[in-house]
Amino acid sequence: RRRRPLPGSGALRWAWPLLAALLLGAAGGVVFAAAIHVPRVESVVDFTPGLVTQLLDRHGKVFTTFARERRVMLREEEIPKVLAQAVLASEDSNFFRHGGVDAFGVARAALADLRAGEVVEGASTITMQLARSLFLSREQVWRRKIEEAFLAVELEKSFSKQQILTMYLNLMNFGHGNYGAEAASRYYFAKPAAQLTLAEAATLAGILPAPSRYSPYRRPEVVLRQRQRVLRRMLAEGMISRAAHDRAAARPLLVSRQQPQRAFAPYYAEDVRKYLEATYGADALYEGGLQVQTTIDPAIQASAEKAVREGLARLDHRRGWRGAVAELEGDPAKRTLPTWSGGEPALGRWHQGIVLESGTRTATVRIDAGTYTLEPAGFRWTGRTRPSSVVKAGDVAWFRLEVPTEKGKPKEGAEPRLYLEQEPRMEAAAVVLEHASGAVRAMVGGWDFERNKFNRVSQAKRQTGSAFKVFVYGAALENGWTPADTILDAPTVFIGADGRLSYRPQNYYRKYYGIVTLRRALELSLNVSAVKLLDLVGVRRVIDFARRCGVDQPLPPYPSLALGTADLTPLRFAAAYAALANQGTWIEPYMIRRISGPEGQVLEQHVPNTRTATDPAVAYVLTHMLEGVVDHGTATPVKHLPIDIAGKTGTTDDFSDAWFVGYTPRYTILTWIGYDVKKSLGGGMSGTVAALPMWRGIVEDGLATGWLTKNERFPVPAGVTTRDVEYYSGLLTAAGANRTQKEAFLAGTEPQREHGPQWNSILNLPWYQQKAFYLPKEGEEMQPAPEGPGAPAAGGPESEGAASAEGAVEEGETVPPVGGEEPPADQAAPPDEPPPPR
């Protein structure tokens, strides 16, 4: 007998497969969910793409940027219509009709790929591409494509079409490190995206599918085909007319020529970059879109850079031609150089060139896309007359293309001339401070930032030589001395660093000048007088004066300090001079005015740090003495310039460092030349010879371009009086005065006695005979005079530890007469001994 089925057994038979399917579906869903991790698209609201940090000069113009990706963001209303149409036609013509995933586009792409037998058309919509850029990698796996689709749908739910298109055009890679349409437009066409033509917009859209392959510089023919494809798509979609299509398609592929540009103010920018990274971190620096308002003045910076390069090249030319940079094998006409960019060389810039042939009269040189003739005038500095004795075929050397000048101006109608150059081995530094504010207006830290990134303005510590003497004389003025007071410039021995009487400073010309005023001693940079003055004033007072002026490096309390044995940073050294120029008020130098975030929020604002260094009257009297250095002393090569100038040269022992620190009524300017490793620049390479011409170049260019004002004068503060004094004795001018000097004094310290004609005779005597007419100051070291009427002035080698190689005047300058013509022998000793000078 057949068994009757249990109640409900048929339903169970059908339920089991259904239950199994549900279980399998749930398991598959769990596995699928585990495999697909879709980020929350709401995070896009808070998403900030990597933005460019911009450094702006004092006028608000960008001069340097820092970024991992070069990008400039555009707002919705700033997206050019022609670019949006080109991108839509090329990448997603159904963009405004689909919800993130274009089913028709997928089918069309699949059909096109089947016909071609390879992947020729992608199926990703603009929204899917944006999703991938925002959240996903470019890994070619099925999971990423599914994630793209899910994210694209979510993006379409959360943002408008215009918002999505704007994000896309701001984020996508357009090649050569350019992200976003604005950065790409500026890079490829040297114009903002708002000014793009139809052909240019189609070019950018054509680059998008494969920016690493579609480079208009490396593969222009491929990019041209891409552009034509985009134009055809725009025509097919009805976005442009046939006439517009034909005009755009007929245009050649014109992109701006990219050539290596010499970075503007690279040492300055690097100092700012290091500060930003240390303060805000690398991510904020390279992706945070910081807006940094700096103090740099482009006109002043250009003057400084020009003067440094020309000054170093001029000094290097004096050392002669050292030979070519390299020698190429084979046919030089078939060779190229990595530094070439495919265009014509820029005027005034240095370029590497290949010598194609060299003869007895001319040489032929190829530089990039041009070929030029080198004539004898282009290498006259080498001392040779035939090109073949300087370069030969296959040589690689540095050249400069320049229009010849006449009276400092380019000759009208003259063709550019080729000049041979060579990279100097010496280094240099220059800094310009606005002393009323402390703003660093220019900074040049060396010959070439790419050669060596060490900033000699802010990082180097060098001995300053005689340029330090200004602080000795400043401390003396504070302690009752006047420019008309006298000191005996004569052999003297001091207690040295070894604790014994061993330090014997010498003057530059190994001679002594006897009775000299403080003014004259400073103008002629007399070493012995400076050390004696430091000893009389007190080394602690000198150090205190220098500290108040801003010298914050260690200052050894030894007599040699007067001659600049301390190692100082040029930036701080210049700021100390600026305190004197600023009527005794020290202001800490600064480079950043304000730092803002990408939305304009102020993150940091400069607050001046100031203090009183000395009384304004003291600062002015010292300035007046330093003007004498320009008018009569070691800096006379700049006396002709039509502006008030005060300053001091500096030369260290063995000519290893050459300085000039000078200031005008508005700016303090420092120039330095030396080697990174301490060694001699060569005999006679003093501050006057090496550093002063560079300083003069900055000021001359400033007067010509207008950032310096002609006939500007130093203001005279209260508490200063002037008197006419005899230059050599420092006494009030009277009948028989040899030379009159308008001297500045602190009120109440003016000399009371008049100069008599007998002083003309006394000051013509040798130093050891003048000693009898000199009244020593309290504590002044006095060495016994040599015996005998014909005893010579002491001489001998420079003593160890003397940092200054200056004294009297710089080599090559003439020594002014002491007291006029030498008197007859019978008048050498006047009958009545006059009162000694103060």
Side-chain angles (χ1 to χ4, degrees):
R1 191 176 63 175
R2 295 180 62 185
R3 226 168 165 184
R4 294 183 59 187
L6 294 173
S9 61
L12 286 174
R13 186 170 62 248
W14 290 104
W16 281 111
L18 180 61
L19 181 61
L22 289 173
L23 290 173
L24 288 174
V30 170
V31 172
F32 186 81
I36 307 299
H37 298 282
V38 181
R40 293 175 59 85
V41 299
E42 290 84 351
S43 62
V44 176
V45 176
D46 300 321
F47 173 75
T48 302
L51 299 179
V52 176
T53 288
Q54 296 180 323
L55 304 192
L56 292 79
D57 64 27
R58 67 178 303 189
H59 305 303
K61 293 184 179 180
V62 177
F63 69 93
T64 296
T65 59
F66 299 110
R68 294 192 176 105
E69 301 173 350
R70 191 181 299 112
R71 188 196 313 275
V72 181
M73 301 291 284
L74 294 175
R75 295 188 296 271
E76 286 185 30
E77 63 274 14
E78 294 175 329
I79 300 295
K81 181 179 178 181
V82 65
L83 178 61
Q85 290 178 329
V87 171
L88 290 172
S90 173
E91 298 295 313
D92 190 356
S93 57
N94 290 326
F95 176 70
F96 286 100
R97 294 189 290 273
H98 64 64
V101 179
D102 183 7
F104 293 104
V106 172
R108 183 182 68 246
L111 185 60
D113 293 346
L114 287 173
R115 288 174 178 172
E118 59 178 341
V119 178
V120 296
E121 187 173 334
S124 291
T125 64
I126 281 178
T127 315
M128 292 170 69
Q129 292 179 50
L130 177 63
R132 180 173 66 239
S133 296
L134 287 171
F135 301 110
L136 307 174
S137 70
R138 300 189 66 85
E139 186 183 11
Q140 296 288 343
V141 295
W142 64 268
R143 184 179 64 188
R144 195 214 72 195
K145 298 299 292 184
I146 296 174
E147 290 173 342
E148 270 186 25
F150 274 101
L151 284 169
V153 173
E154 291 300 314
L155 284 171
E156 293 277 351
K157 292 178 182 178
S158 303
F159 300 96
S160 70
K161 288 288 188 179
Q162 194 60 45
Q163 287 175 320
I164 291 172
L165 182 59
T166 300
M167 284 190 284
Y168 179 85
L169 289 174
N170 276 326
L171 294 176
M172 298 305 290
N173 180 12
F174 283 83
H176 292 280
N178 298 285
Y179 289 78
E182 182 68 12
S185 179
R186 296 182 185 183
Y187 183 83
Y188 292 118
F189 305 112
K191 63 171 69 171
Q195 300 175 13
L196 286 171
T197 65
L198 173 58
E200 292 165 345
T203 301
L204 292 184
I207 291 173
L208 268 174
S212 61
R213 296 201 307 270
Y214 298 157
S215 167
Y217 302 110
R218 293 193 295 265
R219 304 181 69 185
E221 70 288 347
V222 175
V223 175
L224 184 61
R225 289 200 300 269
Q226 279 290 98
R227 186 193 74 179
Q228 309 301 59
R229 177 188 66 81
V230 174
L231 290 172
R232 289 194 300 271
R233 290 287 305 138
M234 295 179 75
L235 178 63
E237 293 294 331
M239 296 176 177
I240 57 176
S241 65
R242 169 60 69 177
H245 168 274
D246 294 346
R247 286 195 300 271
R251 291 185 60 82
L253 182 66
L254 297 176
V255 291
S256 63
R257 184 168 63 90
Q258 301 295 329
Q259 62 177 1
Q261 297 291 326
R262 182 181 298 131
F264 182 74
Y267 291 99
Y268 185 104
E270 175 63 8
D271 273 11
V272 174
R273 186 202 66 80
K274 289 190 292 187
Y275 172 80
L276 295 174
E277 184 171 20
T279 306
Y280 298 97
D283 289 343
L285 170 63
Y286 294 109
E287 298 181 358
L290 301 177
Q291 299 293 297
V292 185
Q293 301 282 342
T294 73
T295 62
I296 197 165
D297 187 301
I300 303 177
Q301 178 69 24
S303 296
E305 289 184 356
K306 176 183 176 183
V308 166
R309 291 190 68 83
E310 290 181 353
L312 274 176
R314 175 184 59 82
L315 289 174
D316 190 72
H317 285 176
R318 295 173 56 169
R319 298 176 175 273
W321 172 243
R322 292 190 294 271
V325 174
E327 298 178 6
L328 302 179
E329 297 179 355
D331 186 357
K334 297 180 180 179
R335 302 297 298 271
T336 61
L337 297 176
T339 56
W340 290 357
S341 59
E344 298 292 331
L347 291 177
R349 294 259 315 263
W350 285 32
H351 303 270
Q352 284 190 341
I354 299 175
V355 180
L356 302 181
E357 56 183 13
S358 182
T360 58
R361 294 186 178 181
T362 63
T364 304
V365 179
R366 181 186 170 198
I367 304 174
D368 225 325
T371 302
Y372 306 91
T373 300
L374 179 65
E375 299 176 342
F379 58 88
R380 185 175 292 121
W381 62 268
T382 66
R384 307 177 191 183
T385 57
R386 293 182 297 110
S388 58
S389 67
V390 182
V391 292
K392 64 181 186 299
D395 279 354
V396 177
W398 287 101
F399 297 91
R400 172 174 54 89
L401 202 61
E402 198 80 76
V403 176
T405 59
E406 188 173 43
K407 295 181 179 180
K409 295 182 180 180
K411 288 185 179 179
E412 188 174 350
E415 291 293 323
R417 177 182 293 169
L418 193 66
Y419 293 88
L420 178 70
E421 295 289 0
Q422 70 181 0
E423 204 171 49
R425 293 173 176 172
M426 294 175 286
E427 286 292 353
V431 62
V432 181
L433 298 178
E434 187 175 65
H435 38 249
S437 65
V440 179
R441 296 302 185 197
M443 176 186 287
V444 183
W447 165 256
D448 189 342
F449 184 73
E450 294 304 318
R451 181 172 83 172
N452 191 324
K453 294 177 172 57
F454 181 72
N455 189 340
R456 292 150 194 88
V457 170
S458 59
Q459 294 178 284
K461 292 183 179 180
R462 309 291 299 213
Q463 289 187 339
T464 59
S466 290
F468 188 86
K469 292 175 183 174
V470 64
F471 305 111
V472 177
Y473 287 85
L477 293 176
E478 279 191 336
N479 287 277
W481 292 71
T482 78
D485 283 340
T486 58
I487 197 166
L488 186 67
D489 190 71
T492 313
V493 62
F494 299 92
I495 296 177
D498 57 3
R500 296 185 295 176
L501 284 171
S502 58
Y503 183 66
R504 294 178 174 84
Q506 299 285 336
N507 290 328
Y508 186 89
Y509 284 117
R510 307 299 194 267
K511 62 179 291 187
Y512 301 97
Y513 290 77
I515 299 172
V516 292
T517 63
L518 263 59
R519 164 178 285 279
R520 188 159 173 251
L522 179 60
E523 289 178 356
L524 303 182
S525 198
L526 300 183
N527 291 338
V528 176
S529 295
V531 177
K532 288 187 75 172
L533 187 61
L534 176 138
D535 187 61
L536 291 169
V537 173
V539 66
R540 295 297 176 186
R541 288 173 174 167
V542 172
I543 291 175
D544 178 62
F545 183 83
R547 289 272 183 262
R548 283 182 275 124
C549 288
V551 177
D552 54 5
Q553 280 92 15
L555 299 176
Y558 305 120
S560 60
L561 176 65
L563 307 185
T565 52
D567 294 323
L568 305 182
T569 304
L571 179 59
R572 292 289 176 178
F573 195 42
Y577 267 73
L580 305 174
N582 196 35
Q583 296 196 342
T585 299
W586 174 82
I587 302 180
E588 185 175 19
Y590 74 103
M591 301 167 64
I592 298 173
R593 292 167 46 211
R594 184 173 63 252
I595 301 175
S596 305
E599 302 300 324
Q601 67 275 27
V602 177
L603 305 177
E604 185 176 325
Q605 185 88 30
H606 171 70
V607 177
N609 180 20
T610 70
R611 67 167 172 265
T612 299
T614 189
D615 187 82
V618 171
Y620 177 80
V621 172
L622 186 55
T623 294
H624 197 250
M625 294 174 69
L626 291 172
E627 286 185 90
V629 175
V630 174
D631 293 335
H632 316 118
T634 58
T636 53
V638 297
K639 67 181 295 184
H640 67 284
L641 296 176
I643 190 171
D644 275 3
I645 297 171
K648 185 71 186 73
T649 51
T651 312
T652 58
D653 197 22
D654 197 30
F655 302 99
S656 58
D657 297 86
W659 302 78
F660 185 69
V661 193
Y663 50 89
T664 70
R666 185 173 180 183
Y667 296 105
T668 299
I669 305 169
L670 176 148
T671 54
W672 166 88
I673 289 181
Y675 289 100
D676 285 338
V677 177
K678 188 176 178 66
K679 67 176 183 177
S680 177
L681 291 166
M685 294 289 280
S686 60
T688 300
V689 174
L692 186 60
M694 189 181 298
W695 192 96
R696 180 178 61 201
I698 296 174
V699 174
E700 286 177 340
D701 200 66
L703 291 167
T705 55
W707 59 266
L708 280 175
T709 305
K710 293 181 180 179
N711 302 316
E712 196 172 3
R713 304 301 178 202
F714 290 118
V716 182
V720 173
T721 60
T722 59
R723 292 289 188 274
D724 287 338
V725 302
E726 204 283 327
Y727 178 72
Y728 295 102
S729 69
L731 300 173
L732 293 174
T733 299
N738 185 61
R739 174 174 160 189
T740 299
Q741 164 74 37
K742 180 82 62 183
E743 191 59 84
F745 298 92
L746 300 180
T749 66
E750 307 88 337
Q752 303 300 315
R753 296 188 298 272
E754 291 185 348
H755 175 86
Q758 65 272 33
W759 275 108
N760 295 340
S761 300
I762 293 172
L763 295 174
N764 266 297
L765 297 172
W767 67 266
Y768 49 85
Q769 292 184 12
Q770 293 182 30
K771 185 177 179 182
F773 305 98
Y774 176 74
L775 181 63
K777 309 299 184 295
E778 183 179 353
E780 184 173 359
E781 295 289 341
M782 300 292 290
Q783 300 297 310
E787 297 181 359
E798 190 80 27
S799 61
E800 184 178 353
S804 174
E806 289 185 10
V809 291
E810 301 286 358
E811 186 168 340
E813 298 297 321
T814 58
V815 181
V818 181
E821 295 182 357
E822 185 173 350
D826 59 354
Q827 296 181 15
D832 297 319
E833 179 177 333
R838 296 184 63 201

